[in-house]
Amino acid sequence: MNFTLRYDLGCTEAVLHESGSLLAFQQAAHLLHKNLSIKFHQKQDDFDGANWDFKYKGHQLRLQYNVYHGISIFPANMEQATEKDNKTVEYLLHKLQGKADKKVQLQNAPA
């Protein structure tokens, strides 16, 4: 998996999948919940996307799926995101990258 950071929303956005499916979104949510004990407290599902809000290390963040833009994580209040909110998104991306890399290594290991 190749995660990237974008900054064009006025805050830091961790892009998990640029053309992700609803299934990939659900897998990302499961990864966050299972490996980082994240609980989603507000879920908005629509016909072309989903926004699931959660708190991580005291910061309000959003896992978003959009059929046009893929799957990403960013501060829930983008316009008023603080530097600490943005750094938390970067930190979370690096944690997820490590978890995904380990999973890929295990899947690709010889039997």
Side-chain angles (χ1 to χ4, degrees):
M1 238 179 245
N2 189 17
F3 301 149
T4 59
L5 291 170
R6 280 195 299 222
Y7 304 95
D8 49 345
L9 295 177
C11 63
T12 301
E13 177 186 17
V15 179
L16 307 180
H17 201 294
E18 287 192 24
S19 60
S21 65
L22 185 56
L23 178 61
F25 172 79
Q26 291 168 339
Q27 290 171 337
H30 179 73
L31 185 69
L32 288 166
H33 174 71
K34 182 180 176 193
N35 293 302
L36 301 171
S37 301
I38 286 174
K39 294 181 178 143
F40 297 95
H41 57 83
Q42 185 174 356
K43 296 179 180 181
Q44 293 178 328
D45 297 320
D46 206 350
F47 69 95
D48 64 349
N51 292 306
W52 289 11
D53 291 351
F54 63 97
K55 193 177 260 191
Y56 185 72
K57 296 191 179 241
H59 300 274
Q60 290 289 347
L61 303 177
R62 176 169 291 156
L63 174 64
Q64 182 181 72
Y65 162 66
N66 181 289
V67 295
Y68 308 106
H69 303 290
I71 302 165
S72 60
I73 297 172
F74 51 85
N77 190 355
M78 296 184 306
E79 299 84 21
Q80 296 177 348
T82 66
E83 183 64 27
K84 287 184 179 182
D85 293 333
N86 291 324
K87 291 291 183 192
T88 301
V89 170
E90 290 180 20
Y91 174 80
L92 188 55
L93 178 74
H94 293 299
K95 293 283 283 185
L96 287 173
Q97 181 74 50
K99 299 287 183 192
D101 287 345
K102 286 179 186 175
K103 186 176 180 181
V104 169
Q105 288 173 358
L106 290 175
Q107 289 175 344
N108 293 334

